[in-house]
Amino acid sequence: MSVDRSLRSILSSSALPPNEARILLAHVLEQHYQLPRSALLSRDDMLLSSVAMDAWKALEARRIEGEPIAYILGKKGFHNIELLVAPGVLIPRPETELLVDIALGEISNRPGHIKILDLGTGSGAIALAVASAAPQSSVTATDQSPDALAIATLNAQSLSLTEQVQFRQGSWYQALDSQALFDVILSNPPYITAQDPHLSQGDLRFEPSSALTDYGNGLSCLEAIISQADQYLKPGGLIAVEHGFDQSDAVVQLMNSAGFNDIEVHLDLSGHTRAVSGRK
Ligand code: GLN
């Protein structure tokens, strides 16, 4: 039986949700024909070559198995940059752009050079988005995972930010010199509780569990970061951390216990409390 290899019939017969099929087929068109996504519509009668058809089938099968689109494509847009992503790092989430915007707001209120710290940088998302949008900043980004730092370093190279962003390996502040001082500390640490059923569902199954959960009550990394921040913040410096939708009260309490002032709760685009900031 001959298979109809037109774009239109591939899309209409795919087992994937239409938006996902379009993303993956657009990727095949880009890779095999250097065609833009608009070709899905403007050339919907185009026939794929057998090589491109095999590529499509392979991508479709991976997605049907549940692999996240970002790992299949090897990239993910975040804030104003595009990042390489691979299974060693968390896929950057839109809600994490909130931390970038908090940092950029702080930077725009302060003259001169600003030193930023991103703890648990993963793909480098927060560090690189801030550095890219604020050339007057210098950013130190840490991660305990050498695999994550390798990906973050590739991202810094492809964004030409290697001068502005420095990577350090180690667990939270242990990655730093004890004398290091920053104007802004940012972190999106693992905050999912060990028992959360979401860990074994959807995209999360494919992401590094150490980037998602603290294997405890969800608050232990946030506590480690907040309780030691004072030592690494300049007077008047700001700390902002991301947290789970139901952790805001607990994080505010951690900020209070650590002696921070001007504690603020920030909402993400879906209206969930998603980050807390405090000032030294
Ligand atoms: N900082 C990275 C991000 O926000 C990684 C976070 C993590 O691995 N928990 O995407």
Side-chain angles (χ1 to χ4, degrees):
M1 194 185 77
S2 77
V3 180
D4 182 354
R5 292 187 185 146
S6 74
L7 303 184
R8 189 175 45 231
S9 90
I10 290 169
L11 286 177
S12 65
S13 60
S14 175
L16 294 176
N19 61 329
E20 296 189 355
R22 282 195 292 270
I23 291 169
L24 294 181
L25 193 55
H27 186 66
V28 172
L29 291 180
E30 185 197 322
Q31 300 277 300
H32 290 260
Y33 301 94
Q34 287 79 50
L35 281 173
R37 185 190 168 102
S38 56
L40 289 178
L41 287 174
S42 62
R43 303 188 55 179
D44 72 344
D45 55 353
M46 174 183 157
L47 301 182
L48 286 194
S49 70
S50 57
V51 173
M53 190 68 189
D54 287 349
W56 153 256
K57 286 272 169 219
L59 298 185
E60 185 191 40
R62 286 169 69 184
R63 182 59 190 149
I64 288 170
E65 286 299 306
E67 193 173 341
I69 298 262
Y71 287 158
I72 297 176
L73 302 182
K75 61 186 181 185
K76 176 80 184 174
F78 178 76
H79 207 259
N80 290 329
I81 57 176
E82 187 171 271
L83 295 155
L84 309 169
V85 293
V89 290
L90 189 82
I91 298 165
R93 305 293 202 269
E95 54 266 32
T96 303
E97 295 178 4
L98 180 59
L99 281 189
V100 177
D101 290 333
I102 292 170
L104 294 178
E106 180 71 6
I107 291 169
S108 70
N109 284 335
R110 292 166 169 243
H113 187 85
I114 300 276
K115 287 184 68 185
I116 312 277
L117 174 63
D118 174 21
L119 292 170
T121 197
S123 63
I126 297 168
L128 295 168
V130 171
S132 159
Q136 71 276 38
S137 64
S138 64
V139 185
T140 300
T142 74
D143 208 288
Q144 66 175 355
S145 158
D147 288 351
L149 288 178
I151 292 168
T153 302
L154 282 177
N155 278 319
Q157 287 164 349
S158 70
L159 294 162
S160 304
L161 291 170
T162 49
E163 301 274 298
Q164 215 183 326
V165 182
Q166 204 188 58
F167 295 103
R168 295 291 194 92
Q169 195 261 326
S171 174
W172 310 130
Y173 301 98
Q174 286 169 25
L176 305 172
D177 300 331
S178 57
Q179 310 297 318
L181 278 179
F182 298 90
D183 298 286
V184 179
I185 297 179
L186 304 169
S187 185
N188 172 28
Y191 52 68
I192 301 178
T193 64
Q195 315 79 17
D196 192 317
H198 292 102
L199 288 171
S200 52
Q201 294 167 13
D203 284 9
L204 273 57
R205 290 171 294 159
F206 290 80
E207 294 180 281
S209 58
S210 61
L212 292 165
T213 176
D214 65 349
Y215 306 102
N217 67 356
L219 291 168
S220 63
C221 297
L222 285 160
E223 179 166 19
I225 289 163
I226 293 168
S227 66
Q228 298 169 67
D230 183 75
Q231 186 188 333
Y232 297 91
L233 267 183
K234 296 182 191 173
L238 187 84
I239 174 169
V241 294
E242 182 172 319
H243 59 72
F245 74 96
D246 55 354
Q247 292 172 329
S248 161
D249 290 350
V251 175
V252 166
Q253 210 174 322
L254 290 171
M255 290 270 187
N256 265 319
S257 316
F260 288 108
N261 305 306
D262 303 339
I263 298 171
E264 279 183 52
V265 172
H266 305 260
L267 302 183
D268 66 19
L269 290 172
S270 324
H272 293 123
T273 54
R274 182 57 68 187
V276 176
S277 61
R279 199 174 288 285
K280 176 163 171 176

